[in-house]
């Protein structure tokens, strides 16, 4: 079985999948049409599946070979492959002929490519089901962007059963198109989302002593947040607190009685993460109190750090090197995703596995190297072949 050649033969199919998904993006927990499209493709292949929640899909391909046995149970082994399917509330500005048909929404994080690659991998694995011994589970997961979709698959232990190996993949604009990169260890940060509401008192802007300026207080807190990473943690420890939005005020001549801002806390240690979250809460509440206001702080855990199993990570690297050549396989000790987060961490906390990255950068198109979530991001579609192939290679390695 030449996996790469089989993936190359499916290139046109992979591109058509990706472009359809890109044209019709849907955000977290709203992926009804996306789920229906995935189901249509699986039906055409004869791949069995069940729905998970309203928009998640768990497909299964069961082989009849006689090779792999689970070390944990003595039963046939199970490999889990996962792709996230949700898009972002971003207004696309690529000008592509298959650009988003939904104003204000875009696949700006490559999840359309992830989904297309896993569908393509399902097609190839299904064609070789008689060669595998065990189960391949294909999890099409909604709501990765808000860190909640993994719960649909993991809250009920009986849903997946024993999983011996788990694999996921993400596009990487830092690497050349079609390459595969994998990190030996911590690959993405733990993430908590916070929303802080400052409740002050309105007054005419010309009489500030009669009001309590919620906007001013919010700005003071925002300016001090980043200092928490250096005052509470070892300066050599990677950590970040960032604010993404702030809303306040109703008119230019009225003191804002309320300000709401939100952001994230990110680092690689749960202990450090808790220190930052506790410090953030104290800072907001004490600063607001000093100005005569009230701060309401809501912190929600999104995901833990993505920590690759070292043996699994090296195995993915070896598979990529054998399949693509040494010049297109990268093994690194540094986090590929840096301070970004991904809720595939929850799968890796429960099952041995690895999270890899497929390069999407093409020097001929600067937009392919833009950061994730950029409204002009255009991942190179040559990555689809490698992405589908590495999914197949991972499953076949453990089940044949």
């Amino acid at each position: 079985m030449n996996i790469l050649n089989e993936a190359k033969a499916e290139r046109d199919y992979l591109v058509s999948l990706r472009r359809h998904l890109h044209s019709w993006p849907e955000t977290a927990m709203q992926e009804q049409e996306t789920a229906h499209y995935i189901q249509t493709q699986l039906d055409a292949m004869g791949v069995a599946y069940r729905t998970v929640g309203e928009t998640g899909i768990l497909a299964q391909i069961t082989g009849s070979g006689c090779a792999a046995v689970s070390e944990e149970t003595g039963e046939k082994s199970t490999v889990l492959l996962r792709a996230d399917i949700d898009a972002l509330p971003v207004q696309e500005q690529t000008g592509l002929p298959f650009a988003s048909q939904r104003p204000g929404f875009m696949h700006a994080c490559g999840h359309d490519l992830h989904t297309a690659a896993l569908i393509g991998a399902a097609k190839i694995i299904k064609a070789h089901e008689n060669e595998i011994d065990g189960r391949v589970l294909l999890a099409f997961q909604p709501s990765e962007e808000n860190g909640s979709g993994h719960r649909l698959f993991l809250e009920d232990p009986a849903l997946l059963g024993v999983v011996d190996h788990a694999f996921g993949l993400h596009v990487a604009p830092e690497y050349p198109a079609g390459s595969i990169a994998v990190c030996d260890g911590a690959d993405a940060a733990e993430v908590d989302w916070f929303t802080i509401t400052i409740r002050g008192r309105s007054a005419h802007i010309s009489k500030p002593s009669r009001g309590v300026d919620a906007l001013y207080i919010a700005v003071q807190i925002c300016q001090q947040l980043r200092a928490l990473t250096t005052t509470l943690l070892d300066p050599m420890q990677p950590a970040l607190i960032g604010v993404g939005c702030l809303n306040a005020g109703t008119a230019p001549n009225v003191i804002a009685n309320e300000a709401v801002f939100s952001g994230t806390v990110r680092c690689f240690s749960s202990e450090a993460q808790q220190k930052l979250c506790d410090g953030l809460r104290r800072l907001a509440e004490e600063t607001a109190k000093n100005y005569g206001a009230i701060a309401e702080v809501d912190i929600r855990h999104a995901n833990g750090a993505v920590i690759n199993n070292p043996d699994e990570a090296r195995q993915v690297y070896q598979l990529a090197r054998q399949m693509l050549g040494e010049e297109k396989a990268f093994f690194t000790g540094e986090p590929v995703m840096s301070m970004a987060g991904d809720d595939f961490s929850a799968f890796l906390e429960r099952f041995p596995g690895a999270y890899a990255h497929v390069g999407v950068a093409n020097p001929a198109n600067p937009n392919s190297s833009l950061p994730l979530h950029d409204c002009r991001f255009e991942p190179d579609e040559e990555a689809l072949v490698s992405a589908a192939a590495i999914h197949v290679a991972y499953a076949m390695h453990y089940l044949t």
Side-chain angles (χ1 to χ4, degrees):
M1 178 185 184
N2 189 313
I3 294 172
L4 185 59
N5 282 347
E6 293 199 32
K8 287 179 178 177
E10 299 295 342
R11 184 188 183 284
D12 290 346
Y13 176 58
L14 291 165
V15 169
S16 69
L17 292 171
R18 186 257 164 167
R19 292 187 177 187
H20 175 90
L21 292 164
H22 190 85
S23 294
W24 302 102
E26 295 174 301
T27 52
M29 294 303 185
Q30 304 298 317
E31 310 96 335
Q32 285 84 2
E33 291 184 27
T34 301
H36 177 71
Y37 182 71
I38 296 168
Q39 291 167 358
T40 299
Q41 302 305 313
L42 296 174
D43 285 336
M45 302 171 196
V47 173
Y49 62 85
R50 61 171 291 180
T51 56
V52 181
E54 292 188 10
T55 56
I57 298 168
L58 181 64
Q60 178 172 316
I61 301 172
T62 303
S64 56
C66 54
V69 176
S70 169
E71 294 182 4
E72 183 171 341
T73 66
E75 302 295 329
K76 291 183 178 182
S77 291
T78 295
V79 170
L80 171 75
L81 307 175
R82 172 269 205 176
D84 38 18
I85 69 174
D86 55 327
L88 286 159
V90 171
Q91 179 61 49
E92 182 166 351
Q93 295 182 23
T94 63
L96 292 168
F98 54 90
S100 172
Q101 299 300 299
R102 294 196 165 101
F105 300 97
M106 177 189 176
H107 272 293
C109 198
H111 296 191
D112 51 341
L113 193 149
H114 305 167
T115 304
L118 189 55
I119 295 172
K123 185 177 181 181
I124 297 171
I125 294 169
K126 178 65 177 177
H128 294 272
E129 62 183 335
N130 292 334
E131 301 171 30
I132 64 176
D133 185 51
R135 296 188 305 160
V136 180
L137 299 178
L138 304 106
F140 294 91
Q141 181 204 307
S143 192
E144 184 280 325
E145 291 293 351
N146 69 15
S148 64
H150 67 275
R151 298 187 182 95
L152 297 172
F153 293 87
L154 297 176
E155 283 184 341
D156 180 4
L159 178 62
L160 300 179
V162 174
V163 172
D164 300 283
H165 308 279
F167 180 74
L169 175 144
H170 204 289
V171 298
E174 303 87 357
Y175 285 86
S179 63
I180 297 294
V182 61
C183 174
D184 179 19
D187 188 46
E190 181 169 347
V191 180
D192 286 285
W193 296 71
F194 64 84
T195 299
I196 300 176
T197 302
I198 306 299
R199 302 200 183 279
R201 185 171 63 251
S202 290
H204 195 283
I205 202 90
S206 66
K207 300 186 186 319
S209 62
R210 295 190 178 183
V212 175
D213 194 337
L215 175 55
Y216 176 80
I217 297 165
V219 170
Q220 297 306 305
I221 296 170
C222 288
Q223 289 179 328
Q224 297 177 65
L225 282 177
R226 291 187 180 182
L228 293 178
T229 60
T230 56
T231 56
L232 296 180
L233 304 182
D234 185 314
M236 301 302 292
Q237 186 165 27
L240 182 151
I241 301 177
V243 175
C245 59
L246 189 159
N247 295 286
T250 57
N253 60 347
V254 179
I255 290 174
N257 71 328
E258 181 179 283
V260 181
F261 60 100
S262 56
T264 61
V265 179
R266 300 167 184 266
C267 57
F268 291 93
S269 158
S270 293
E271 180 182 358
Q273 189 85 358
Q274 190 60 54
K275 282 185 179 180
L276 290 177
C277 289
D278 291 344
L280 179 151
R281 186 182 299 277
R282 284 196 306 272
L283 172 64
E285 292 176 346
E286 291 174 6
T287 302
K289 183 179 180 181
N290 288 342
Y291 285 100
I294 295 172
E296 298 172 358
V297 182
D298 178 53
I299 302 174
R300 180 177 65 82
H301 184 65
N303 57 264
V306 175
I307 310 292
N308 281 337
N309 177 292
D311 293 335
E312 296 266 347
R314 183 162 288 280
Q315 185 59 62
V316 171
Y317 167 68
Q318 296 290 355
L319 291 169
R321 190 174 67 169
Q322 292 164 13
M323 186 169 59
L324 302 173
E326 194 162 349
E327 70 283 358
K328 283 199 168 184
F330 298 90
F331 193 66
T332 175
E334 298 297 322
V336 177
M337 297 189 74
S338 184
M339 301 304 291
D342 195 296
D343 70 353
F344 190 68
S345 60
F347 291 89
L348 294 180
E349 288 168 5
R350 188 169 301 184
F351 312 124
Y355 200 49
H357 304 268
V358 59
V360 295
N362 181 344
N365 179 9
N367 285 359
S368 67
S369 300
L370 290 172
L372 301 176
H373 296 198
D374 192 294
C375 60
R376 300 161 295 160
F377 180 49
E378 297 178 34
D380 192 288
E381 291 178 328
E382 288 305 312
L384 285 161
V385 170
S386 297
I390 195 66
H391 279 99
V392 177
Y394 184 87
M396 300 302 284
H397 171 77
Y398 287 112
L399 298 180
T400 58

